[in-house]
Amino acid sequence: EYCYAGMFSGCKSLTEAPNLPATILAVWCYQGMFDGCESLIKAPELPATTLAECCYEGMFISCKSLTEAPVLPATTLVNGCYSSMFKGCKSLNKVTMLATTDVNNSFSQWLYGVSSNGTFVKAKNQNNLQMGANGIPWGWTVIDYEE
């Protein structure tokens, strides 16, 4: 179940991530994959539309050079799927998340410690996200996704 968890964790000089084409994820599959990759400036595309419990948990923790999150196209979330995903990404200033549902603990600290201003792009019919590190960061502009 922990297929790629922690695979590049601590690779401080990694600047670009490999392609991750999976569209259906397993439990914990990308957990902590790029944790501490401080030089990562480009995240891989994450085309998955079927998520699993804690699948992206802590995937990009402390990726301090990352400014834009990959588009998160899944519309249905599961427990812990985005928990701590971008925690400590102090330069992150753009997130596009297209979920239309929310599940308890889906967003636990997912944007804790990101830039104090940025743009959050959401699905047009998503109106349930709270403000703060467990939702949309305070000080960010919120816009609807346009196809």
Side-chain angles (χ1 to χ4, degrees):
E1 294 284 321
Y2 296 93
C3 51
Y4 299 109
M7 186 175 209
F8 299 101
S9 180
C11 292
K12 295 186 185 299
S13 62
L14 183 70
T15 58
E16 193 168 332
N19 189 21
L20 301 173
T23 57
I24 300 173
L25 302 183
V27 175
W28 298 94
C29 62
Y30 293 139
Q31 189 268 339
M33 188 175 203
F34 301 104
D35 180 359
C37 293
E38 297 175 354
S39 299
L40 186 68
I41 55 173
K42 182 164 176 42
E45 288 185 30
L46 299 176
T49 53
T50 303
L51 305 181
E53 189 171 327
C54 301
C55 55
Y56 291 128
E57 184 174 330
M59 187 174 187
F60 298 101
I61 285 180
S62 297
C63 290
K64 298 175 182 178
S65 300
L66 192 63
T67 58
E68 185 173 340
V71 173
L72 302 171
T75 57
T76 303
L77 303 182
V78 297
N79 188 41
C81 58
Y82 296 149
S83 293
S84 299
M85 188 173 185
F86 301 104
K87 184 177 182 178
C89 294
K90 68 179 186 176
S91 300
L92 188 70
N93 61 24
K94 184 171 184 191
V95 174
T96 300
M97 195 273 304
L98 303 180
T100 55
T101 65
D102 183 11
V103 175
N104 193 28
N105 296 322
S106 299
F107 303 106
S108 178
Q109 295 192 7
W110 82 308
L111 295 173
Y112 179 83
V114 298
S115 177
S116 59
N117 54 52
T119 303
F120 191 94
V121 183
K122 67 173 189 64
K124 286 182 184 181
N125 53 348
Q126 171 58 272
N127 297 311
N128 297 322
L129 292 175
Q130 64 182 11
M131 297 302 289
N134 297 327
I136 300 169
W138 292 105
W140 281 36
T141 302
V142 180
I143 60 174
D144 286 338
Y145 180 73
E146 297 290 332
E147 292 184 48

